[in-house]
Amino acid sequence: MRRLFWYTVYMVCAFIILFTGETILENIRKSGSENFNLLPYAVYSFLFYFILGMFLSIPTMMKRMNRPEKWKYDWVLFIIIFIPSVFIALQPLLLYTSFFDVASFLEIPLNYLPITSILFTVAAGYSMLIGFKKQRTA
């Protein structure tokens, strides 16, 4: 019964976060399309979906917190999943800045698929927190 309550609270929070975040995202997109400044939209979109990915990892992290072992970080997961995911997720954001020409650097047309950026941003947020693990002490 206790698990049912916490999963219900988790799902209600997820719906509130999604509804509120998407509403704010749509308002920022409309404002950006009126004044031709889409950088705030790209920044908020990255942050929103990154935090959403972190939120999705909460149930797994809660299970790990109750163990008595020491914390460690899975660096293989960080290097293989997190870094490439962040690079692909930041591509739309880098297109609106003048750091370097991403289109010529990355010849994969990922900027035409917004869902790709969203999925990789959620994966980056999820993998960042899920990399924290408990290690058994000797």
Side-chain angles (χ1 to χ4, degrees):
M1 191 67 170
R2 200 169 161 188
R3 252 178 66 197
L4 177 68
F5 172 74
W6 286 114
Y7 279 127
T8 304
V9 168
Y10 179 76
M11 287 307 296
V12 168
C13 289
F15 283 122
I16 290 171
I17 289 170
L18 279 173
F19 180 76
T20 306
E22 286 292 334
T23 303
I24 293 170
L25 193 62
E26 184 62 24
N27 290 336
I28 291 173
R29 187 194 63 77
K30 284 181 185 176
S31 172
S33 64
E34 290 172 357
N35 61 14
F36 302 106
N37 184 12
L38 293 176
L39 183 61
Y41 173 76
V43 169
Y44 179 79
S45 177
F46 174 78
L47 290 175
F48 171 65
Y49 290 115
F50 189 81
I51 291 171
L52 182 65
M54 290 172 51
F55 179 77
L56 291 174
S57 69
I58 287 176
T60 305
M61 292 302 294
M62 294 302 289
K63 289 179 187 175
R64 290 180 182 173
M65 287 183 129
N66 295 331
R67 296 184 195 160
E69 295 103 3
K70 288 186 178 182
W71 285 101
K72 73 170 200 162
Y73 195 77
D74 187 0
W75 292 104
V76 174
L77 179 86
F78 181 79
I79 293 169
I80 302 298
I81 303 291
F82 180 77
I83 292 176
S85 295
V86 167
F87 179 73
I88 293 172
L90 285 177
Q91 184 191 10
L93 181 63
L94 293 175
L95 288 173
Y96 296 114
T97 61
S98 60
F99 292 129
F100 58 90
D101 188 12
V102 179
S104 65
F105 180 72
L106 187 65
E107 295 183 11
I108 305 169
L110 295 175
N111 56 334
Y112 298 111
L113 299 172
I115 191 70
T116 303
S117 176
I118 291 169
L119 290 175
F120 278 99
T121 307
V122 171
Y126 185 83
S127 66
M128 186 181 98
L129 278 187
I130 218 69
F132 289 101
K133 298 183 177 184
K134 292 269 188 146
Q135 180 181 4
R136 295 185 185 192
T137 56

